[in-house]
């Protein structure tokens, strides 16, 4: 099962994903993204990102090897299709933590995925989280907030909305969604058809 976690910038997608990875539930594999940006200190190829040149990345796009991709601040970011398909073929869930536009690309290619939109408790809380980062000036924060409003409008394209009021509670909500999705009849019916000899 493909699980897509996304939401507006500053909502805490990375923090929630890291908490999910540390949780004992962890019945999935995190999909490592690909980027053309240079590695930061301590980052390892194939662990934090697949680091590629712009030429290599563009060749992957041309060859249809990217599940989704985007260009951001003169660098490419995206999800390579090969590792995702390999993990799914091995019978393991795959978790993607991606931006809203990337999620819409995945939605087109994998409509049977589970799409989860992480939301802030309210816009004021989102603004405070962005301000706490201390990386943006006032004008940039205003732009981020406007973008967040537009991204929240896209929630209607998702299957679930999960409020990230407290990280541990958000993780529990997401884990309950994953458990429920595994028990949906369309996902299990083939197993039972085989059991009773029906094609």
């Amino acid at each position: 099962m493909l699980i897509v976690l996304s939401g507006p910038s500053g909502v805490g997608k990375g923090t929630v994903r890291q908490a999910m990875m540390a949780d004992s539930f962890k019945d999935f594999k995190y999909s490592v993204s690909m980027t053309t940006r240079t590695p930061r200190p301590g980052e390892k190829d194939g662990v934090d990102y697949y680091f590629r040149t712009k030429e290599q990345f563009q060749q992957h796009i041309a060859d249809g090897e990217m599940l989704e991709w985007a260009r951001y601040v003169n660098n490419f970011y995206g999800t390579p299709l090969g590792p995702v398909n390999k993990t799914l073929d091995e019978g393991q869930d795959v978790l993607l933590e991606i931006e809203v536009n990337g999620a819409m690309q995945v939605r087109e290619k994998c409509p049977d995925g589970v799409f989860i939109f992480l939301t802030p408790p309210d816009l004021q809380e989102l603004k405070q989280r962005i301000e706490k980062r201390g990386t943006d000036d006032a004008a940039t924060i205003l732009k981020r907030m406007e973008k967040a409003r537009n991204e929240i409008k896209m929630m209607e394209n998702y299957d679930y909305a999960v409020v990230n009021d407290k990280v541990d509670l958000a993780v529990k909500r997401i884990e309950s969604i994953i458990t429920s999705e595994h028990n949906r009849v369309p996902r299990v019916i083939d197993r039972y058809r085989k059991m009773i000899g029906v094609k």
Side-chain angles (χ1 to χ4, degrees):
M1 194 166 71
L2 186 65
I3 305 150
V4 178
L5 177 67
S6 65
S9 175
V11 77
K13 296 183 295 294
T15 303
V16 168
R17 190 255 307 160
Q18 287 169 356
M20 288 173 69
M21 297 297 291
D23 194 82
S24 58
F25 177 88
K26 200 188 163 193
D27 193 22
F28 56 82
K29 187 171 180 182
Y30 174 61
S31 173
V32 177
S33 295
M34 187 180 287
T35 185
T36 58
R37 75 161 172 77
T38 54
R40 292 175 184 145
E43 287 184 333
K44 294 179 182 177
D45 183 56
V47 176
D48 300 285
Y49 281 96
Y50 295 108
F51 294 100
R52 299 292 183 266
T53 65
K54 287 180 183 173
E55 292 75 20
Q56 288 171 326
F57 198 109
Q58 288 171 317
Q59 190 59 54
H60 285 304
I61 295 169
D63 292 342
E65 296 171 355
M66 300 302 293
L67 178 58
E68 57 85 26
W69 64 274
R71 191 169 187 168
Y72 181 73
V73 194
N74 207 31
N75 278 306
F76 289 97
Y77 295 83
T79 304
L81 190 55
V84 170
N85 283 340
K86 182 176 182 290
T87 305
L88 291 172
D89 288 345
E90 289 168 353
Q92 193 170 14
D93 292 346
V94 176
L95 174 69
L96 302 183
E97 177 221 318
I98 54 178
E99 297 302 317
V100 172
N101 289 331
M104 293 305 94
Q105 291 179 48
V106 177
R107 185 62 137 175
E108 285 182 22
K109 295 174 184 173
C110 307
D112 61 342
V114 180
F115 290 78
I116 303 169
F117 192 90
L118 197 63
T119 74
D122 55 55
L123 287 177
Q124 186 58 37
E125 173 70 18
L126 182 65
K127 187 179 179 188
Q128 287 172 359
R129 289 179 190 179
I130 294 170
E131 287 171 343
K132 278 182 189 173
R133 287 178 172 177
T135 56
D136 298 318
D137 59 25
T140 304
I141 290 170
L142 280 175
K143 285 179 186 173
R144 282 190 181 275
M145 290 304 298
E146 186 55 38
K147 186 179 179 192
R149 284 185 180 89
N150 290 328
E151 288 173 330
I152 290 169
K153 289 176 190 172
M154 296 173 73
M155 187 194 298
E156 65 187 27
N157 298 300
Y158 288 75
D159 302 310
Y160 300 92
V162 171
V163 178
N164 184 20
D165 45 2
K166 292 185 179 177
V167 172
D168 58 335
L169 292 179
V171 168
K172 283 185 172 65
R173 292 169 188 139
I174 292 168
E175 289 173 353
S176 68
I177 289 167
I178 294 170
T179 300
S180 296
E181 281 290 330
H182 270 290
N183 292 295
R184 285 186 65 224
V185 169
R187 296 192 194 280
V188 300
I189 190 71
D190 286 345
R191 188 189 323 154
Y192 292 97
R193 282 178 175 148
K194 286 177 186 173
M195 184 178 76
I196 61 174
V198 175
K199 289 183 180 180

